[in-house]
Amino acid sequence: MTSPVPSPPAASVLDLAPVVPVVVLSDAADAVPLARALVAGGLPAIEVTLRTPAALDAVRAIAGEVPGAVVGAGTVITPEQVGACVAAGARFLVSPGWTEALLAAMRGSGVPFLPGVSTASEVVALLERGVREMKFFPAQAAGGTDYLKSLAGPLPQARFCPTGGIGPATAPGYLALPNVGCVGGSWMVPADAVGARDWARVEALARAAARLGAAASGAQV
């Protein structure tokens, strides 16, 4: 059977969706029903983290079987992982930090990417290299919304996807900032729901998360 042809990824990861689920899967068999639940709930951009042996198989399954999803790979920390993720079908890449070698590999991957930063110096270093869109991680521990507000003045050209410790109560505060394009979080894919394969609950949580993004932008879902 021929796999569905996905639509092209957005030029910017930050424009895919206001909330990006950060997914950890121990069983690749859960990838497709989980992704379908997230897409049905209004969250098409899905970051599958490379924290388990099942991650690449999960990316491959979502890319091949869930045409409404834009699947990416997170926790990318080596150049070798970049190639493996793109080969599996990842349409964007996210790293918790960056090195020159990792940045070069992500640049050469042909897909959008978000290198991770947590300090002003790291932001300036990426701006010097022509990178304007970044992951801010770990968001809450690194200073949260107050820190990002402080960066907006001297570094207005930088845009961020804050991830790390963000939940439904704090996400709107991040999304309201002018230098934040989206947030990442795992609250809509709780481990107990995934373990129980309670996809209806995942869909409901995703729908609520999508409404958070709409509320922050003044839109309607």
Side-chain angles (χ1 to χ4, degrees), residues 22-45:
V22 178
V23 174
V24 180
L25 285 171
S26 57
D27 187 346
D30 293 332
V32 168
L34 175 65
R36 287 175 176 158
L38 291 170
V39 171
L43 300 181

Side-chain angles (χ1 to χ4, degrees), residues 13 47 73-77 92-96 106 112-115 135:
V13 179
E47 177 188 335
T75 321
V76 179
I77 59 173
F92 64 92
L93 304 169
V94 184
S95 69
M106 290 193 294
F113 61 92
L114 292 175
K135 172 179 178 173

Side-chain angles (χ1 to χ4, degrees), residues 22-204:
V22 178
V23 174
V24 180
L25 285 171
S26 57
D27 187 346
D30 293 332
V32 168
L34 175 65
R36 287 175 176 158
L38 291 170
V39 171
L43 300 181
I46 302 168
E47 177 188 335
V48 178
T49 66
L50 302 185
R51 300 181 191 178
T52 68
L56 286 178
D57 285 338
V59 169
R60 191 173 294 108
I62 295 170
E65 299 182 47
V66 190
V70 181
V71 63
T75 321
V76 179
I77 59 173
T78 70
E80 293 76 18
Q81 287 176 330
V82 169
C85 291
V86 174
R91 297 169 64 192
F92 64 92
L93 304 169
V94 184
S95 69
W98 64 279
T99 64
E100 295 290 356
L102 180 58
L103 185 63
M106 290 193 294
R107 278 186 186 277
S109 69
V111 301
F113 61 92
L114 292 175
V117 297
S118 60
T119 69
S121 294
E122 291 169 329
V123 175
V124 171
L126 284 177
L127 291 174
E128 284 184 349
R129 290 156 176 79
V131 178
R132 296 182 175 227
E133 299 185 344
M134 311 162 196
K135 172 179 178 173
F136 180 59
F137 176 81
Q140 289 288 93
T145 54
D146 287 343
Y147 194 91
L148 287 172
K149 286 178 187 176
S150 298
L151 291 180
L155 303 170
Q157 63 271 55
R159 295 178 71 216
F160 302 95
C161 173
T163 305
I166 298 175
T170 54
Y174 284 97
L175 291 169
L177 297 177
N179 56 348
V180 169
C182 63
V183 300
S186 58
W187 74 87
M188 72 296 297
V189 285
D192 59 339
V194 176
R197 294 178 169 83
D198 188 350
W199 309 128
R201 181 182 170 201
V202 170
E203 180 178 340

